[in-house]
Amino acid sequence: MTDTQKIREAIAQALPLTTSSHGETPDAREVYLPPAHVKALRLECNLVIGARGVGKSFWTAALGSTSLRALLKNSVSELEYTDVTTGFAKTENPSEYPDKETFAQLMEGGYTPYEIWRSVVVRWLAVTTKSTFPKEEWRQSVAWVKQNPEPVAKLLQNANNFFLQQQRFGLIVFDALDLTSDNWETMDVIVRDLLRVTLWLKSFTRLHAKVFLREDQAERTVTNFPDASKLLATKAELTWAPHDLHGLLWHMFCNSVGADGEYLRGVYEKTLGVAPRSESGVFLISDEVQRDTASQRGLFEVLAGAWMGKDRRRGVPYVWSVSHLADARGRTSPRSFLAAMRQAAEDSLEKYPAHPYALHYESIKRGVQKASEIRVQEMAEDYPWVTRVMEPLKGFTVPCEFATIEAAWIVAFGPVLDASTLNKLPPQHIGRGWEGVHKDLERLGIFETKKDGRINLPDLYRVGFGLGRRGGVKPVK
């Protein structure tokens, strides 16, 4: 086996086969903190906004791990002195927070989301301080919080003093709030009341809350309450610049286990003249490799060559591999990038064994196809309505006129999309007809309206949804 083939195999083994952690605690070797994410992990940041696949659930799980918080302390020092609990997440934990059905039942019983969220906070602090509190059922907990405002106030003050005496902080984290309801108006109230509770905690110096929200949730009316500006001032957005993605790639390579990790670290050292630093069992790449530098570009060129073809006219792999995975708003998620790179390595191993570079440029294109297919599957999980409205457009060539798309929708669904046929949240602006659906697809980064008014789709979605474009990456059949 040649060195190039060994690199291909090592890349395929180093990158995850699955695209989501599903709320599980990450392995320490998987934790990579881009500079843009540092603010999101600080205690004073109460509101974190991010699209699908950028790290909301990843950081929720990481914050909940004592060992991972210790690993992050070099970048966010206060995490070393912080105890963290979860107030809501993908993984059900009825002892810490009510699930979707229980939440709905409590609301049907006359309790407001504000009272329910307060009871989640109070239960956390009662357990922490070993205070008396009814916690056999959530109905009892919420009723007690509603009926006992003075004891609740004293309990929180005692909890704040407890953390102060311990010289520690308490943090409660909320994620996956789209799972609380299938109705936008109901969810707006649930999220808004949670943010009100988050604001309530800001009056206590040792108690903090952090809320991870999807972009479409944050864009609604969830912050139209007094003093919401105090939360908005702390807002952070989880974004990944192209150099962050390349930095993550080499972090994953260098922290691969066994012979694969040794081989990829060897490539790193041979290219840069220095080995990655090891700390607490985790290999750390240099600052130069975390930024858009000649070192970072040179490392990827060792893997994929200088051009996306036989000459410069086809583009540069270092740039092309990220840009063709971006949505219509120019954002590429780490899940999509890592999935594409794994597929590119496997495809190169199978189809181009004699190619001088580990990643053949045609295989990188097929990696985009695979990443697009995965992205469409993820979109179907979060927004099932998107899959439905995109199905009639399969085989279309873009850019095209919106009138052409609207006509296909009318043939398939009628004058409007029936929200009652959807089993999850419908388009936010479904009440505005097909133009509202159009705008929602733009907000999600699926549709892009060109200057001449025609609709285009980035490769990330176009390929997976089966639409064509002249000269572009071929769609998934």
Side-chain angles (χ1 to χ4, degrees):
M1 182 180 292
T2 66
D3 285 350
T4 301
Q5 288 173 314
K6 288 181 181 178
I7 295 174
R8 290 177 185 136
E9 287 198 344
I11 291 173
Q13 293 299 320
L15 301 180
L17 184 61
T18 58
T19 59
S20 175
S21 63
H22 302 288
E24 299 173 356
T25 302
D27 186 285
R29 295 182 300 253
E30 299 174 351
V31 178
Y32 180 75
L33 181 60
H37 291 205
V38 172
K39 179 183 177 182
L41 300 188
R42 295 193 184 282
L43 291 181
E44 64 265 24
C45 175
N46 302 120
L47 185 58
V48 184
I49 312 299
R52 173 73 188 246
V54 297
K56 298 189 298 299
S57 295
F58 181 93
W59 289 127
T60 295
L63 286 171
S65 167
T66 302
S67 61
L68 295 186
R69 290 199 302 275
L71 186 66
L72 294 165
K73 68 181 180 182
N74 292 335
S75 298
V76 189
S77 59
E78 61 262 36
L79 291 181
E80 186 178 6
Y81 313 105
T82 302
D83 297 325
V84 181
T85 193
T86 304
F88 197 85
K90 288 182 179 179
T91 304
E92 293 186 3
N93 190 344
S95 65
E96 294 187 353
Y97 47 86
D99 60 16
K100 177 181 177 180
E101 289 71 23
T102 304
F103 210 111
Q105 188 179 63
L106 290 168
M107 291 180 65
E108 289 170 1
Y111 296 109
T112 65
Y114 183 73
E115 293 162 344
I116 298 170
W117 289 127
R118 274 169 57 101
S119 72
V120 171
V121 170
V122 172
R123 182 183 282 209
W124 158 50
L125 296 174
V127 171
T128 300
T129 59
K130 297 180 173 57
S131 303
T132 302
F133 180 73
K135 53 181 180 294
E136 288 75 20
E137 295 183 4
W138 279 105
R139 178 178 51 81
Q140 297 173 326
S141 298
V142 180
W144 189 88
V145 169
K146 181 178 181 178
Q147 296 164 9
N148 295 276
E150 186 174 351
V152 166
K154 289 181 178 178
L155 193 154
L156 262 75
Q157 189 59 59
N158 290 339
N160 191 70
N161 291 337
F162 170 82
F163 282 109
L164 181 61
Q165 292 167 3
Q166 299 289 325
Q167 289 296 295
R168 299 186 67 81
F169 298 95
L171 172 66
I172 185 167
V173 180
F174 300 86
D175 180 39
L177 295 166
D178 54 297
L179 301 180
T180 58
S181 177
D182 292 335
N183 177 276
W184 277 110
E185 286 69 27
T186 301
M187 186 184 295
D188 285 346
V189 177
I190 290 172
V191 174
R192 186 183 304 118
D193 280 4
L194 173 58
L195 295 180
R196 290 176 58 208
V197 169
T198 301
L199 182 63
W200 170 53
L201 285 180
K202 286 185 73 67
S203 60
F204 300 93
T205 58
R206 293 281 161 166
L207 307 179
H208 298 270
K210 189 180 299 292
V211 180
F212 288 91
L213 281 184
R214 292 188 338 194
E215 293 172 313
D216 54 349
Q217 293 173 310
E219 289 172 353
R220 293 177 64 80
T221 59
V222 296
T223 56
N224 60 348
F225 58 89
D227 291 330
S229 59
K230 295 179 180 179
L231 297 182
L232 292 172
T234 74
K235 182 178 71 171
E237 296 189 14
L238 294 180
T239 58
W240 289 80
H243 63 266
D244 292 328
L245 296 169
H246 282 283
L248 171 64
L249 184 71
W250 279 98
H251 176 85
M252 298 293 288
F253 286 168
C254 290
N255 283 282
S256 183
V257 297
D260 297 314
E262 291 180 10
Y263 208 84
L264 290 170
R265 288 190 294 273
V267 173
Y268 179 102
E269 183 174 3
K270 183 178 179 181
T271 304
L272 302 181
V274 60
R277 180 168 56 90
S278 177
E279 184 177 304
S280 301
V282 177
F283 288 97
L284 304 176
I285 61 175
S286 70
D287 290 342
E288 284 289 300
V289 181
Q290 295 181 49
R291 294 180 283 114
D292 182 8
T293 60
S295 295
Q296 190 184 75
R297 287 173 174 258
L299 278 169
F300 199 74
E301 190 168 317
V302 168
L303 300 182
W307 314 117
M308 283 296 296
K310 296 180 179 180
D311 54 49
R312 68 180 68 225
R313 291 178 298 175
R314 299 296 183 181
V316 177
Y318 173 79
V319 176
W320 197 100
S321 60
V322 175
S323 63
H324 282 258
L325 290 167
D327 65 11
R329 298 168 71 174
R331 305 164 305 182
T332 303
S333 78
R335 283 188 200 164
S336 297
F337 183 61
L338 296 181
M341 292 303 99
R342 180 188 174 98
Q343 179 63 26
E346 292 179 343
D347 190 83
S348 298
L349 194 63
E350 177 186 349
K351 294 184 172 65
Y352 306 101
H355 189 63
Y357 295 101
L359 303 179
H360 194 282
Y361 49 85
E362 292 295 340
S363 294
I364 294 177
K365 294 178 183 178
R366 294 190 187 95
V368 170
Q369 288 181 321
K370 183 64 176 180
S372 180
E373 187 177 347
I374 292 172
R375 187 66 173 184
V376 165
Q377 292 169 354
E378 292 178 341
M379 190 61 65
E381 294 173 8
D382 282 356
Y383 307 93
W385 65 266
V386 170
T387 306
R388 288 197 62 189
V389 301
M390 291 305 298
E391 181 62 30
L393 309 185
K394 192 170 185 177
F396 278 34
T397 298
V398 290
C400 66
E401 301 292 338
F402 175 67
T404 304
I405 293 173
E406 185 177 29
W409 283 342
I410 292 173
V411 170
F413 306 108
V416 295
L417 184 63
D418 185 358
S420 66
T421 64
L422 306 174
N423 59 2
K424 285 191 73 173
L425 289 169
Q428 287 195 58
H429 302 92
I430 193 172
R432 292 164 54 186
W434 291 117
E435 180 57 34
V437 173
H438 168 202
K439 294 302 179 185
D440 285 336
L441 288 170
E442 277 190 330
R443 286 184 172 88
L444 290 175
I446 299 173
F447 272 14
E448 174 193 12
T449 301
K450 298 178 71 67
K451 291 182 179 179
D452 61 7
R454 292 183 300 165
I455 304 300
N456 193 29
L457 272 75
D459 285 351
L460 178 66
Y461 292 113
R462 178 187 62 77
V463 173
F465 281 124
L467 284 77
R469 180 172 62 82
R470 290 183 180 177
V473 178
K474 294 181 179 179
V476 176
K477 296 182 179 179

